[in-house]
Amino acid sequence: MKLKAGVLGAGHLGKIHLRLLAQSEKYELVGFYDSDADNAQQVSETFGYHRFDTMEELIAACDVVDVVTPTLHHYECAEKIIKAGKHLFIEKPIATTVEEAEKMIALAEAYGVLGQVGHVERFNPAFTAVKDLIHQPMFIEAHRLAEFNPRGTDVPVVLDLMIHDIDVILSVVKSPVKHIAASSAMVISHSPDITNARLEFENGCVANITASRISMKNMRKTRFFQKDAYISVDFLEKKVEVVRMKEAPAVPNDFDMVLQNAEGERRQIYFEYPEVQSNNAILDELESFADAINNDTVPKVTMQQGTEALRIAKKILSL
């Protein structure tokens, strides 16, 4: 069943969501609302999307409302959407504060609606190609580096960039965080431009995360180390590599990579390159939410998960 969807916020990302919802076979785009009247008129005239005069009129016309406003307005919008009994897709971070996010969760449960948070890297084809191969990682290293862009410098780099990696890591490490250490520096903004954080989990796993928006080049790489395997995910280039160990053959050939430890055990290193399927991650996350609504299943990125990522991000910012 096609769900009637509308978008709140028609900025840079909002225009992308509008285009994808209009293309989707799982949604019927009913239109959008943007509080900037001039921008709303321009978007409507340029792309032909129906413009609503008020947020309330848009919400009333929808089954699902896609919130792509600045984070400062997330709770205000979510409260109106949920109380109208409409399902909610909301961009990351879920809210300005953990308290607001927890109120959203309570409201959604009270009104019987579903919510999903736009942590789009969960749908990155490089990550989806290997996520089922990641089992009990014990060390994780993530680098998310971006060239300077004035858009987005109104928020700390932790909430702008690092929260992507926090969410990905929390999705694969099935253990509570027990300790956080972090250091940050403000270089050209009035909020931190570069942050390094170390997350220690109760099961012994350690994650070392670096995020910067003042790099000379863009990088989005995460490496997972686990027993007998090393898994590298390049979220930017959409490439993956899996390095494994197995018993060495009795008679290795000239190209086999064989290591021998102090006990005389001989192991062979071999490489796997799982196929990465091309996709549009934003379209996939939006359509996965439609599937959750139509099939009455748990969304791929729940509001609780979005809240936990925000909780960790806020703790990092407090250090």
Side-chain angles (χ1 to χ4, degrees):
M1 180 184 77
K2 274 196 172 187
L3 297 166
K4 292 183 178 179
V7 176
L8 281 180
H12 173 74
L13 187 56
K15 292 186 187 76
I16 295 172
H17 281 231
L18 280 163
R19 174 173 57 82
L20 294 172
L21 287 169
Q23 292 174 0
S24 174
E25 295 182 359
K26 299 189 178 185
Y27 290 102
E28 174 191 339
L29 177 64
V30 298
F32 74 98
Y33 170 75
D34 191 287
S35 59
D36 183 331
D38 291 338
N39 181 61
Q41 183 175 346
Q42 183 180 8
V43 170
S44 181
E45 291 176 354
T46 302
F47 302 102
Y49 306 131
H50 178 66
R51 169 192 173 190
F52 284 84
D53 292 327
T54 67
M55 184 193 310
E56 290 74 15
E57 288 175 351
L58 172 72
I59 293 170
C62 295
D63 301 310
V64 182
V65 182
D66 180 4
V67 178
V68 202
T69 64
T71 308
L72 186 64
H73 304 296
H74 279 192
Y75 179 75
E76 168 199 351
C77 297
E79 183 180 30
K80 290 182 178 181
I81 293 162
I82 293 168
K83 286 185 174 179
K86 306 305 173 79
H87 301 293
L88 168 72
F89 184 97
I90 193 161
E91 259 308 320
K92 65 83 193 167
I94 182 172
T96 306
T97 66
V98 172
E99 291 72 23
E100 286 180 347
E102 289 174 339
K103 286 181 186 176
M104 282 187 208
I105 292 169
L107 278 171
E109 290 175 352
Y111 284 85
V113 301
L114 291 181
Q116 180 165 317
V117 185
H119 282 288
V120 70
E121 291 290 43
R122 294 269 209 107
F123 298 83
N124 187 298
F127 180 64
T128 59
V130 296
K131 68 178 181 180
D132 291 338
L133 304 178
I134 302 171
H135 301 295
Q136 294 185 307
M138 296 312 293
F139 182 71
I140 301 169
E141 190 157 38
H143 288 88
R144 186 168 294 261
L145 315 178
E147 295 176 359
F148 181 72
N149 181 347
R151 190 176 68 86
T153 56
D154 55 327
V155 295
V157 72
V158 172
L159 294 175
D160 186 29
L161 298 179
M162 185 182 282
I163 197 166
H164 284 293
D165 297 306
I166 294 169
D167 174 70
V168 165
I169 290 166
L170 292 179
S171 77
V172 298
V173 181
K174 309 301 183 185
S175 177
V177 175
K178 71 173 184 179
H179 181 71
I180 301 172
S183 59
S184 300
M186 289 182 285
V187 182
I188 52 180
S189 308
H190 294 296
S191 62
D193 294 302
I194 181 166
T195 297
N196 174 262
R198 176 184 170 93
L199 309 184
E200 297 179 13
F201 294 83
E202 288 184 1
N203 69 352
C205 178
V206 171
N208 189 33
I209 316 170
T210 301
S212 168
R213 57 183 175 209
I214 50 170
S215 176
M216 292 295 102
K217 63 176 182 177
N218 293 322
M219 177 190 290
R220 285 156 42 196
K221 282 186 178 179
T222 302
R223 303 166 182 88
F224 302 89
F225 298 84
Q226 60 195 46
K227 184 175 174 58
D228 289 341
Y230 155 77
I231 300 167
S232 174
V233 181
D234 190 325
F235 289 89
L236 184 62
E237 299 294 334
K238 311 292 192 294
K239 294 178 181 177
V240 294
E241 180 179 69
V242 180
V243 183
R244 293 189 186 275
M245 305 276 283
K246 64 180 179 181
E247 293 296 326
V251 184
N253 67 43
D254 292 341
F255 299 102
D256 287 343
M257 295 180 64
V258 177
L259 300 177
Q260 182 170 316
N261 64 18
E263 288 74 34
E265 296 172 333
R266 298 169 75 248
R267 307 276 281 171
Q268 180 185 350
I269 300 173
Y270 67 102
F271 298 84
E272 298 173 358
Y273 300 94
E275 183 180 359
V276 177
Q277 302 280 353
S278 180
N279 76 329
N280 185 306
I282 296 176
L283 179 61
D284 280 2
E285 68 177 350
L286 291 167
E287 292 196 334
S288 80
F289 188 44
D291 291 339
I293 294 167
N294 284 326
N295 300 325
D296 195 23
T297 55
V298 177
K300 290 282 182 69
V301 185
T302 64
M303 293 170 72
Q304 288 85 349
Q305 290 169 335
T307 300
E308 194 57 30
L310 178 63
R311 192 189 316 276
I312 300 298
K314 289 289 188 177
K315 286 181 180 177
I316 291 169
L317 285 169
S318 71
L319 297 173

